[in-house]
Amino acid sequence: MTTARSLNDSSLPYKVGLAVLATAAAAGGLVIGTEWRNNPTPFPHFLRFFLRHPLVGRDKLLKALRPQRGERLLEIGPGIGYYAVPVAASLGEGSLHVQDVQQAMLDHTLRAARDAGVHNIHSTLRDASVIPFDDDYFDGAYLIEVIGEIPDKWAALNELHRVIRPGGRLVVGEDLLSFDVHFMTHSSVTELARSAGFILEERFGTSLGYFAVFRA
C-alpha cells in the first residue's frame, strides 16, 4: 500500500533537482549580469520585449524635457521608439534625431513612428562617442537607461555638451526597477555631467527611478 510518506519521499529527488537548477540559473544570471556591467554593451534588439520603464514613463519624460514646437532634439539610444514617438509628435514642425549603434533599433523606431503618423524623426547609426552634428545644433537631448551602456561615457557627455546650444537641456533617466544591470545612480550621473560642463537644474523621482535635468 502506498502511503503519504512514501509519496513525499519519492518526490525528494525531483525537489532537489529543481533547487539545483534554480541555484545554477541564479548563479549564471549573476555571472552574466556582472560581465555585462563590467563591459558595457547596448541592450540587444532580440530582447526588446523585456524593455520596461516602470518609474520613468513617457509622461514623466515630457514633464522633465518640456519639448517645444519647432525645436531640434536628440535622443541617444532610442530603443524601440517608446519615448521617441511622443517626443517627436510634440515638436510640430521641429525634428527629433535618434542615434544608436544598432540598425535594428533605429528601424524599429522609424516603423513605430510611421505607424503613429509621425514623420519628423531622423536616424543616425553611430556610437555616442561621436555625434556628427555642428556645435550648438540641438536645443536639447535625452538618454533614458542608456548612459550606463556607453563604454566611453565621458566622451559621449562631452559630445552632447558640444552639440547642445548654450542654455539647452540634457535629460538623463535611470530606472532600477527595470532590472537594468547598467543602472547609474543620480550622484554618479551628476558627477559625469558636471565634468563635461553641464549644470544640474532639477531632479524628478527617487533614487530608484529618476530624471535628472541639466543645462549646457
Side-chain angles (χ1 to χ4, degrees):
M1 179 178 179
T2 302
T3 65
R5 181 177 179 80
S6 64
L7 283 173
N8 290 338
D9 289 345
S10 66
S11 68
L12 183 60
Y14 174 73
K15 292 178 179 177
V16 171
L18 285 179
V20 170
L21 286 174
T23 301
L30 180 61
V31 170
I32 293 172
T34 301
E35 176 65 18
W36 200 358
R37 184 170 181 83
N38 292 338
N39 298 279
T41 54
F43 195 90
H45 180 260
F46 73 89
L47 294 177
R48 61 193 179 278
F49 297 111
F50 292 97
L51 288 170
R52 295 293 183 269
H53 313 277
L55 297 180
V56 288
R58 287 176 285 205
D59 56 335
K60 293 180 180 178
L61 171 64
L62 293 173
K63 179 182 177 181
L65 184 63
R66 300 188 186 96
Q68 304 296 315
R69 295 182 67 84
E71 285 189 319
R72 281 193 302 228
L73 299 180
L74 169 68
E75 179 180 8
I76 300 294
I80 57 176
Y82 176 78
Y83 299 102
V85 173
V87 168
S90 71
L91 296 175
E93 66 278 15
S95 61
L96 175 67
H97 295 256
V98 294
Q99 182 167 327
D100 205 300
V101 294
Q102 299 181 81
Q103 186 64 52
M105 289 295 196
L106 294 173
D107 292 342
H108 200 125
T109 295
L110 294 176
R111 281 197 304 272
R114 286 194 299 270
D115 290 345
V118 174
H119 304 287
N120 59 340
I121 298 180
H122 310 281
S123 66
T124 299
L125 180 65
R126 197 151 190 174
D127 70 87
S129 64
V130 176
I131 301 176
F133 292 92
D134 293 337
D135 295 357
D136 308 332
Y137 187 80
F138 293 104
D139 296 292
Y142 62 98
L143 306 85
I144 314 300
E145 298 185 68
V146 168
I147 192 168
E149 299 177 354
I150 300 173
D152 195 340
K153 300 170 182 56
W154 190 83
L157 284 166
N158 271 275
E159 274 290 88
L160 284 164
H161 190 269
R162 180 184 66 79
V163 298
I164 296 174
R165 65 171 176 78
R169 68 272 191 208
L170 170 68
V171 176
V172 178
E174 290 288 298
D175 186 350
L176 186 60
L177 296 189
S178 67
F179 302 105
D180 181 6
V181 297
H182 298 116
F183 175 82
M184 292 190 65
T185 64
H186 177 256
S187 59
S188 297
V189 168
T190 300
E191 183 178 351
L192 277 169
R194 284 176 174 166
S195 72
F198 288 99
I199 299 172
L200 178 65
E201 183 173 81
E202 57 184 324
R203 185 184 81 172
F204 298 89
T206 69
S207 58
L208 297 179
Y210 64 88
F211 286 108
V213 183
F214 301 91
R215 289 286 174 181

